[in-house]
Amino acid sequence: MSARIAIVGATGFVGAEVVRRLIGHADATPSAVISTSKAGTRLAEVHPGLEGLTDLVLEPFDADRLSTFDAVVLATPHGAAAPLAAQLERAPVIIDCSRDHRHATGWTYGMAEYAAEAIASSTRVAVPGCFATAIALAGAPLVAAGVVDGPIRVVAATGSTGSGATPKAGTHHPYRFVNLKAYKVLSHQHVPEVVSFWDSIGSAPKLDFVPLSAPVDRGIFATLLATVKPGTDASAIVADFAKQHPHIRLRAGSPELRHVRGTAFCDLAVSQDEDTVAVLSAIDNLGKGAAGQALQCLDLALGLPTSTLTAPSLP
């Protein structure tokens, strides 16, 4: 019998992506979609791409009803998830895609490649942020191996869907199109999240991060630069990491956003010149950076086979 999953915040980009992935899931089914503001509306009217794939109708939030499902995925805006989760004490499993519980007591930080056992024994999982995922996974093999010598510096560009479905000044796609700009230079909120994660697997170096607002709708491309200890073979370290995890792919040359679009893959590439290493990282911010990783965590928490290795659109 398929696990019954409720998705709160299904009208947003992440919520819709969770539904899309669950529709093709062999062992779990999207069984309820929640949006108080659009209750009574068919989900396919809000997301026409789902027409013919689901007949689900949006419902208001009802904690008692949601607690009867096998799991609840919170795909709400930041700040909205915590008060909702507080009402779901009886829910068997909660997967939170927002930042509300990433540092919260009683919640497991859901970086699936490094916390599979913890997630499998947890009922409350916080999905890592999109920038945090791309950066953390690029640096994690080197940090875990203890070969980083000095600070890590990252420049990373993100697509407009990372800002959510509601247009905002400065992040709305028409203002990003044919444009590139930096923002929150050396002060982005994901820096403490990445450093905290690195510290859990090794000795975390200082992280200097410059985020860029890119003229694409979805995807994150990160360039990580690190100085490593003499004798380090960074390519071998990252290649060994990739071999162990099906969602990590090692690329020659450079990863490309089009190759990860719509998937839960993180593509990495490594270049090294003596003690200087560059690790390039590409993910779909709605895939591996949100819904795809949420389903990795869901599968682990419910003891289901991994089901998130979807193919990108081609070419």
Side-chain angles (χ1 to χ4, degrees):
M1 180 181 293
S2 290
R4 298 169 64 248
I5 314 300
I7 303 91
V8 180
T11 59
F13 292 142
V14 175
E17 188 75 1
V18 170
V19 172
R20 182 180 75 84
R21 290 169 180 275
L22 283 172
I23 287 172
H25 199 297
D27 301 291
T29 303
S31 301
V33 286
I34 310 302
S35 173
T36 300
S37 65
K38 294 186 180 295
T41 304
R42 291 177 57 248
L43 182 62
E45 291 181 30
V46 180
H47 297 293
L50 296 177
E51 187 66 56
L53 299 176
T54 178
D55 293 322
L56 286 170
V57 175
L58 292 158
E59 308 173 29
F61 183 90
D62 182 334
D64 290 336
R65 171 167 157 71
L66 291 178
S67 296
T68 67
F69 291 87
D70 295 294
V72 178
V73 177
L74 298 177
T76 61
H78 303 307
L84 297 179
Q87 300 177 54
L88 295 170
E89 293 181 355
R90 293 186 292 107
V93 171
I94 302 176
I95 309 294
D96 182 10
C97 297
S98 82
R99 65 171 172 244
D100 289 13
H101 295 101
R102 289 172 190 161
H103 303 285
T105 301
W107 288 72
T108 298
Y109 186 68
M111 191 70 78
E113 281 69 27
Y114 283 90
E117 290 185 7
I119 296 169
S121 61
S122 177
T123 63
R124 301 291 185 266
V125 182
V127 180
C130 51
F131 262 141
T133 297
I135 296 169
L137 290 176
L142 302 179
V143 172
V147 299
V148 178
D149 187 13
I152 285 179
R153 294 181 169 88
V154 175
V155 176
T158 185
S160 56
T161 52
S163 300
T166 303
K168 305 176 185 69
T171 63
H172 193 29
H173 195 79
Y175 295 106
R176 300 168 73 125
F177 184 65
V178 198
N179 191 25
L180 189 67
K181 68 175 184 178
Y183 67 103
K184 296 183 180 178
V185 175
L186 302 180
S187 62
H188 196 275
Q189 65 272 13
H190 281 185
V191 169
E193 181 181 341
V194 174
V195 172
S196 177
F197 166 70
W198 282 344
D199 209 33
S200 73
I201 61 171
S203 179
K206 182 176 184 291
L207 172 60
D208 297 320
F209 175 36
V210 177
L212 303 177
S213 171
V216 296
D217 61 343
R218 56 195 290 171
I220 289 177
F221 190 99
T223 300
L224 179 149
L225 290 171
T227 300
V228 295
K229 296 176 181 178
T232 297
D233 186 344
S235 292
I237 292 172
V238 176
D240 182 63
F241 170 63
K243 288 177 184 176
Q244 298 177 53
H245 302 288
H247 289 81
I248 308 297
R249 302 187 298 190
L250 191 61
R251 295 291 194 178
S254 174
E256 297 186 32
L257 291 184
R258 66 193 179 106
H259 296 155
V260 296
R261 183 182 178 92
T263 79
F265 289 116
C266 174
D267 284 3
L268 301 176
V270 183
S271 296
Q272 183 169 355
D273 181 10
E274 297 182 352
D275 63 351
T276 300
V277 173
V279 183
L280 309 179
S281 172
I283 66 169
D284 183 337
N285 60 290
L286 296 180
K288 181 62 171 170
Q293 190 151 234
L295 260 69
Q296 277 186 271
C297 294
L298 183 72
D299 289 341
L300 288 166
L302 294 180
L304 304 176
T306 298
S307 62
T308 57
L309 299 174
T310 50
S313 56
L314 298 175

